Protein backbone atom coordinates (compact mmCIF):
# COMPACT_ATOMS: atom_id res chain seq x y z
CA UNK A 1 0.00 0.00 0.00
CA UNK A 2 1.37 3.44 -0.87
CA UNK A 3 1.88 5.87 2.02
CA UNK A 4 -0.70 8.22 0.57
CA UNK A 5 -3.39 7.14 -1.82
CA UNK A 6 -4.28 9.71 -4.48
CA UNK A 7 -7.96 10.49 -5.09
CA UNK A 8 -9.74 9.52 -8.33
CA UNK A 9 -8.78 11.73 -11.29
CA UNK A 10 -11.95 13.83 -11.27
CA UNK A 11 -11.18 14.98 -7.67
CA UNK A 12 -7.48 15.73 -8.04
CA UNK A 13 -8.04 19.51 -7.91
CA UNK A 14 -9.91 19.40 -4.62
CA UNK A 15 -8.91 16.35 -2.63
CA UNK A 16 -5.31 15.99 -1.44
CA UNK A 17 -5.37 12.28 -0.63
CA UNK A 18 -7.60 9.42 0.42
CA UNK A 19 -7.30 9.11 4.19
CA UNK A 20 -9.60 6.14 4.75
CA UNK A 21 -10.63 3.99 1.81
CA UNK A 22 -13.94 2.23 1.16
CA UNK A 23 -12.73 -1.20 2.25
CA UNK A 24 -11.25 0.08 5.49
CA UNK A 25 -14.45 1.99 6.28
CA UNK A 26 -16.60 -1.07 5.59
CA UNK A 27 -14.48 -3.28 7.87
CA UNK A 28 -14.52 -0.82 10.75
CA UNK A 29 -18.24 -0.15 10.46
CA UNK A 30 -18.86 -3.90 10.73
CA UNK A 31 -16.75 -4.02 13.89
CA UNK A 32 -18.64 -1.10 15.44
CA UNK A 33 -21.94 -2.77 14.59
CA UNK A 34 -20.78 -5.99 16.27
CA UNK A 35 -19.81 -4.09 19.42
CA UNK A 36 -23.15 -2.27 19.53
CA UNK A 37 -25.02 -5.51 18.88
CA UNK A 38 -23.27 -7.12 21.84
CA UNK A 39 -23.80 -4.17 24.21
CA UNK A 40 -27.46 -3.63 23.34
CA UNK A 41 -28.60 -7.27 23.10
CA UNK A 42 -31.01 -7.00 26.04
CA UNK A 43 -31.76 -3.28 25.75
CA UNK A 44 -34.35 -1.11 24.04
CA UNK A 45 -32.15 0.60 21.47
CA UNK A 46 -33.16 3.94 20.01
CA UNK A 47 -30.60 5.24 17.53
CA UNK A 48 -30.69 9.00 17.21
CA UNK A 49 -28.72 10.19 14.21
CA UNK A 50 -27.77 13.77 13.53
CA UNK A 51 -28.59 15.17 10.11
CA UNK A 52 -27.01 15.33 7.57
CA UNK A 53 -23.49 13.98 7.82
CA UNK A 54 -24.42 10.60 9.32
CA UNK A 55 -26.43 9.31 6.36
CA UNK A 56 -23.96 6.89 4.67
CA UNK A 57 -22.43 5.78 8.00
CA UNK A 58 -25.81 5.23 9.61
CA UNK A 59 -27.15 3.30 6.61
CA UNK A 60 -24.17 0.93 6.66
CA UNK A 61 -24.00 0.62 10.44
CA UNK A 62 -27.66 -0.18 11.05
CA UNK A 63 -27.78 -2.86 8.37
CA UNK A 64 -25.17 -4.82 10.28
CA UNK A 65 -27.16 -4.71 13.50
CA UNK A 66 -29.78 -7.43 13.78
CA UNK A 67 -31.39 -6.14 17.00
CA UNK A 68 -34.94 -4.73 16.82
CA UNK A 69 -33.82 -1.10 17.06
CA UNK A 70 -35.71 2.13 16.46
CA UNK A 71 -34.35 5.05 14.45
CA UNK A 72 -34.97 8.76 14.69
CA UNK A 73 -33.19 11.92 13.59
CA UNK A 74 -32.30 15.23 15.09
CA UNK A 75 -31.36 18.20 12.97
CA UNK A 76 -28.54 20.38 14.12
CA UNK A 77 -26.23 22.59 12.15
CA UNK A 78 -23.77 25.32 12.80
CA UNK A 79 -24.13 28.69 11.13
CA UNK A 80 -21.96 29.35 8.13
CA UNK A 81 -20.70 26.82 5.66
CA UNK A 82 -16.99 27.06 6.26
CA UNK A 83 -14.60 24.93 8.27
CA UNK A 84 -14.81 26.85 11.56
CA UNK A 85 -17.45 25.81 14.09
CA UNK A 86 -20.24 28.38 14.42
CA UNK A 87 -23.31 28.86 16.55
CA UNK A 88 -25.50 25.75 16.81
CA UNK A 89 -29.07 25.76 15.56
CA UNK A 90 -31.55 22.91 16.10
CA UNK A 91 -33.49 22.31 12.90
CA UNK A 92 -35.40 19.12 13.73
CA UNK A 93 -36.59 17.59 16.99
CA UNK A 94 -37.03 13.94 17.89
CA UNK A 95 -40.34 12.37 16.92
CA UNK A 96 -40.04 9.15 18.95
CA UNK A 97 -40.20 8.77 22.71
CA UNK A 98 -36.73 8.66 24.28
CA UNK A 99 -37.86 8.25 27.89
CA UNK A 100 -36.78 4.89 29.37
CA UNK A 101 -35.13 3.86 26.12
CA UNK A 102 -31.46 3.11 25.55
CA UNK A 103 -30.46 6.00 23.37
CA UNK A 104 -27.40 5.81 21.15
CA UNK A 105 -26.53 9.11 19.54
CA UNK A 106 -24.80 8.77 16.16
CA UNK A 107 -22.73 11.56 14.62
CA UNK A 108 -20.20 11.87 11.84
CA UNK A 109 -17.30 13.51 13.64
CA UNK A 110 -16.40 14.62 17.15
CA UNK A 111 -14.21 17.70 16.82
CA UNK A 112 -14.43 20.54 19.37
CA UNK A 113 -17.21 18.64 21.10
CA UNK A 114 -19.63 21.55 20.90
CA UNK A 115 -22.24 19.60 18.92
CA UNK A 116 -22.19 16.42 21.00
CA UNK A 117 -22.16 18.39 24.23
CA UNK A 118 -25.29 20.34 23.22
CA UNK A 119 -27.16 17.35 21.83
CA UNK A 120 -26.35 15.03 24.73
CA UNK A 121 -27.57 17.78 27.07
CA UNK A 122 -30.86 17.95 25.21
CA UNK A 123 -31.25 14.16 25.20
CA UNK A 124 -30.53 13.71 28.90
CA UNK A 125 -33.47 16.00 29.66
CA UNK A 126 -35.73 13.43 27.97
CA UNK A 127 -34.80 10.89 30.68
CA UNK A 128 -33.51 7.97 28.61
CA UNK A 129 -32.63 4.77 30.49
CA UNK A 130 -29.12 5.06 29.13
CA UNK A 131 -27.32 7.45 26.81
CA UNK A 132 -24.17 6.80 24.78
CA UNK A 133 -22.57 8.24 21.67
CA UNK A 134 -21.10 6.71 18.54
CA UNK A 135 -19.06 8.69 16.05
CA UNK A 136 -17.42 7.64 12.83
CA UNK A 137 -14.47 9.98 13.29
CA UNK A 138 -12.79 11.81 16.11
CA UNK A 139 -10.21 14.64 16.15
CA UNK A 140 -8.84 14.70 19.66
CA UNK A 141 -6.55 17.71 19.26
CA UNK A 142 -9.30 20.34 19.01
CA UNK A 143 -11.53 19.32 21.92
CA UNK A 144 -13.05 22.22 23.88
CA UNK A 145 -15.93 20.52 25.65
CA UNK A 146 -15.44 17.62 28.03
CA UNK A 147 -17.27 14.98 26.01
CA UNK A 148 -16.28 11.51 24.88
CA UNK A 149 -17.83 9.04 22.49
CA UNK A 150 -18.35 5.43 23.59
CA UNK A 151 -17.82 4.07 20.07
CA UNK A 152 -15.31 5.64 17.70
CA UNK A 153 -14.61 4.46 14.17
CA UNK A 154 -11.32 6.20 13.48
CA UNK A 155 -9.19 8.88 15.01
CA UNK A 156 -8.16 11.40 12.36
CA UNK A 157 -5.48 14.11 12.34
CA UNK A 158 -6.35 17.80 12.56
CA UNK A 159 -7.05 18.24 8.85
CA UNK A 160 -10.34 19.05 7.17
CA UNK A 161 -11.81 15.81 5.89
CA UNK A 162 -14.71 15.21 3.50
CA UNK A 163 -16.65 12.29 2.09
CA UNK A 164 -18.78 9.39 3.37
CA UNK A 165 -21.24 11.97 4.70
CA UNK A 166 -18.84 14.73 5.68
CA UNK A 167 -19.13 17.98 3.79
CA UNK A 168 -17.43 21.22 3.02
CA UNK A 169 -20.10 23.84 2.22
CA UNK A 170 -22.61 20.98 1.73
CA UNK A 171 -20.50 19.29 -0.96
CA UNK A 172 -18.50 16.04 -1.06
CA UNK A 173 -20.94 14.07 1.12
CA UNK A 174 -21.34 11.48 -1.62
CA UNK A 175 -17.69 10.44 -1.90
CA UNK A 176 -17.41 6.74 -1.00
CA UNK A 177 -14.12 7.34 0.87
CA UNK A 178 -12.84 9.86 3.43
CA UNK A 179 -10.34 12.29 1.97
CA UNK A 180 -8.36 15.32 3.05
CA UNK A 181 -9.63 18.49 1.43
CA UNK A 182 -6.95 20.68 -0.13
CA UNK A 183 -6.55 23.80 2.03
CA UNK A 184 -6.77 26.01 -1.09
CA UNK A 185 -10.40 24.91 -1.49
CA UNK A 186 -11.43 26.62 1.76
CA UNK A 187 -8.77 29.27 2.32
P1 LIG B 1 -17.84 19.89 16.87
O1 LIG B 1 -19.14 20.48 17.27
O2 LIG B 1 -16.74 20.91 16.79
O3 LIG B 1 -17.42 18.68 17.66
O4 LIG B 1 -17.95 19.47 15.37
C1 LIG B 1 -18.86 18.58 14.93
C2 LIG B 1 -19.35 18.98 13.55
O5 LIG B 1 -18.40 19.81 12.85
C3 LIG B 1 -19.50 17.75 12.72
O6 LIG B 1 -20.81 17.21 12.87
C4 LIG B 1 -19.20 18.27 11.34
O7 LIG B 1 -20.39 18.76 10.74
C5 LIG B 1 -18.25 19.42 11.52
N1 LIG B 1 -16.83 19.05 11.27
C6 LIG B 1 -15.81 19.09 12.16
N2 LIG B 1 -14.65 18.71 11.58
C7 LIG B 1 -14.96 18.42 10.29
C8 LIG B 1 -14.16 17.96 9.16
O8 LIG B 1 -12.95 17.73 9.20
N3 LIG B 1 -14.86 17.80 8.00
C9 LIG B 1 -16.19 18.02 7.87
N4 LIG B 1 -16.95 18.43 8.90
C10 LIG B 1 -16.34 18.64 10.10
MG1 LIG C 1 -21.01 19.56 8.65
Amino acid sequence: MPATTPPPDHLRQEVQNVLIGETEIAERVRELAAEIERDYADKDLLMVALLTGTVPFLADLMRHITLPLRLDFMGVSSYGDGTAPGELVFTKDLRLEARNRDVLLVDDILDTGQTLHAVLGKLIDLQPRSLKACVLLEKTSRRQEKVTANYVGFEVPDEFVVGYGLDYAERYRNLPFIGVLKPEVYS
Side-chain angles (χ1 to χ4, degrees):
M1 267 251 291
T4 58
T5 311
D9 282 341
H10 71 282
L11 291 163
R12 289 271 155 98
Q13 306 291 329
E14 299 145 276
V15 176
Q16 200 162 281
N17 62 280
V18 175
L19 189 65
I20 311 168
E22 278 190 74
T23 313
E24 207 183 332
I25 294 173
E27 280 173 13
R28 187 66 188 124
V29 171
R30 266 182 188 275
E31 288 174 2
L32 287 176
E35 275 185 55
I36 292 167
E37 175 125 352
R38 217 185 310 118
D39 295 350
Y40 286 85
D42 51 4
K43 299 205 158 68
D44 188 5
L45 175 56
L46 170 62
M47 290 182 103
V48 174
L50 297 188
L51 296 170
T52 307
T54 55
V55 167
F57 173 45
L58 175 74
D60 289 343
L61 183 72
M62 66 186 296
R63 281 178 295 176
H64 290 117
I65 300 174
T66 60
L67 303 173
L69 60 83
R70 291 181 175 85
L71 172 66
D72 203 351
F73 292 93
M74 275 173 78
V76 58
S77 59
S78 45
Y79 266 124
D81 58 11
T83 58
E87 191 191 328
L88 283 186
V89 193
F90 284 90
T91 56
K92 189 205 168 291
D93 266 329
L94 275 192
R95 192 175 59 88
L96 301 185
E97 185 73 56
R99 195 188 161 90
N100 290 332
R101 296 226 164 109
D102 297 292
V103 173
L104 180 62
L105 178 62
V106 179
D107 200 9
D108 53 2
I109 182 167
L110 171 55
D111 183 16
T112 66
Q114 205 197 11
T115 307
L116 234 56
H117 180 78
V119 176
L120 288 170
K122 236 178 127 99
L123 287 170
I124 203 83
D125 290 345
L126 302 174
Q127 298 180 277
R129 186 190 299 142
S130 68
L131 178 59
K132 288 185 177 185
C134 170
V135 293
L136 174 67
L137 307 177
E138 158 167 63
K139 283 184 199 168
T140 51
S141 54
R142 294 183 3 119
R143 199 64 37 80
Q144 288 169 10
E145 299 288 348
K146 201 169 168 250
V147 288
T148 52
N150 307 82
Y151 306 90
V152 177
F154 302 91
E155 193 176 312
V156 295
D158 185 13
E159 291 177 296
F160 201 80
V161 294
V162 293
Y164 196 64
L166 290 113
D167 74 305
Y168 167 66
E170 299 302 331
R171 286 189 53 222
Y172 308 105
R173 293 195 197 274
N174 56 322
L175 308 189
F177 58 86
I178 293 162
V180 176
L181 194 64
K182 286 191 174 181
E184 56 260 42
V185 176
Y186 56 83
S187 54

